[in-house]
Amino acid sequence: MTAPLVFITGASSGIGQALAARYAADGWRLALVARRGAEMTAWAQAQGWDAQRWRVYPADVAEVESIVAAGRACLAAQGVPDVVIAGAGISIGMDTAERSDLDVMARTFAVNNTGMAATFHPFIAPMRQRGSGTLVGIASVAAIRGLPGHGAYCASKAGVVSYCESLRGELRGSGVRVVTLGPGYIDTPLTRRNTYSMPFLMSAEAFAERAFTAIARGVSYRVIPWQMGVVAKLLRVLPNALFDRLLSGRARKARQGEG
């Protein structure tokens, strides 16, 4: 019997890489997508996995044709995945008063939003035809409220939540499930650059373990860790006047890279 297949974008570091390792540990076949294909291949080889169980597809998620081509290559070489995880994402600070930061916002949306839809696109029709499959969108607790200096990132992750909710409704009854995961603070190369306190910080491996379980159960939405879910709900009900006062004066988030 052929082992199940998972397709993961953003697999070269952080959450994506931890998820790849977790699925491999459970015997899954892997389709790994990253911009840095050579680095991705070197990492996969270093794990000692059977070369027949994984493939690397170099692609830029911000370029629709690039990621769609990667998906089609996966279908041709490995078949229809059982799970597709849109894990690629970027977090870059912006100030709307700065002209160059409008380009930052466009890039953020291209990766975090359009890139996610383009990741899912090649697989929806074949999954529908098969009558099964799971599409996983990685959002963030930053989707709950807009934080000063984080406008592009917060808006993009709020968009992920709404997009996945829309897609879930569209696929209802098809056998294809849509799972939205909202990570809190996860120890990755991106968050290590943060200079502020990160409550309930957890390792990427611990996140991957909980995410693996949530995806297997087909939950529609899950914040990991759960404590950040509680914090997010409290922030959501906080009166705007108080929320604005508490967050006023925060500077643009330090520029970061892709994850």
Side-chain angles (χ1 to χ4, degrees):
M1 181 177 179
T2 304
L5 173 66
V6 59
F7 181 95
I8 305 174
T9 66
S12 61
S13 65
I15 286 174
Q17 192 172 91
L19 283 165
R22 179 62 184 85
Y23 275 91
D26 205 56
W28 286 55
R29 293 179 298 131
L30 307 176
L32 307 173
V33 181
R35 286 184 306 132
R36 301 178 293 274
E39 292 181 21
M40 184 76 263
T41 298
W43 176 81
Q45 290 174 334
Q47 307 312 302
W49 298 328
D50 182 345
Q52 300 302 311
R53 298 181 69 87
W54 59 272
R55 283 178 179 261
V56 171
Y57 302 93
D60 185 347
V61 177
E63 299 294 332
V64 170
E65 288 307 316
S66 178
I67 185 59
V68 168
R72 289 174 176 165
C74 172
L75 289 169
Q78 294 177 282
V80 183
D82 298 273
V83 172
V84 174
I85 302 175
I90 57 175
S91 174
I92 310 176
M94 73 164 291
D95 179 346
T96 306
E98 299 289 334
R99 169 61 186 86
S100 62
D101 279 5
L102 300 182
D103 299 325
V104 166
M105 191 170 202
R107 172 72 179 177
T108 302
F109 286 176
V111 174
N112 296 358
N113 302 102
T114 307
M116 177 174 291
T119 296
F120 292 158
H121 165 74
F123 305 112
I124 290 177
M127 281 184 170
R128 270 178 165 158
Q129 184 175 11
R130 186 181 60 190
S132 67
T134 302
L135 305 173
V136 183
I138 304 297
S140 168
V141 292
I144 305 301
R145 298 216 63 157
L147 304 175
H150 299 63
Y153 183 69
C154 291
S156 73
K157 290 303 184 178
V160 166
V161 173
S162 294
Y163 164 72
C164 288
E165 188 169 57
S166 297
L167 187 60
R168 191 171 71 244
E170 293 167 13
L171 295 174
R172 180 177 173 80
S174 69
V176 183
R177 299 183 296 189
V178 178
V179 173
T180 307
L181 299 179
Y185 289 113
I186 310 301
D187 184 14
T188 68
L190 290 185
T191 58
R192 287 172 200 150
R193 302 176 187 179
N194 292 340
T195 58
Y196 49 82
S197 175
M198 295 181 285
F200 309 114
L201 179 69
M202 72 188 308
S203 69
E205 292 73 22
F207 171 85
E209 182 64 38
R210 298 186 193 185
F212 180 85
T213 299
I215 294 167
R217 292 176 178 173
V219 301
S220 59
Y221 179 84
R222 176 71 52 84
V223 172
I224 302 173
W226 66 265
Q227 293 94 332
M228 282 304 296
V230 174
V231 171
K233 288 180 179 179
L234 291 175
L235 285 174
R236 183 66 270 170
V237 300
L238 202 65
N240 287 345
L242 178 57
F243 178 82
D244 293 347
R245 186 160 64 249
L246 289 173
L247 276 295
S248 66
R250 292 187 59 161
R252 174 174 68 182
K253 185 177 180 180
R255 290 183 178 273
Q256 297 183 356
E258 303 201 9

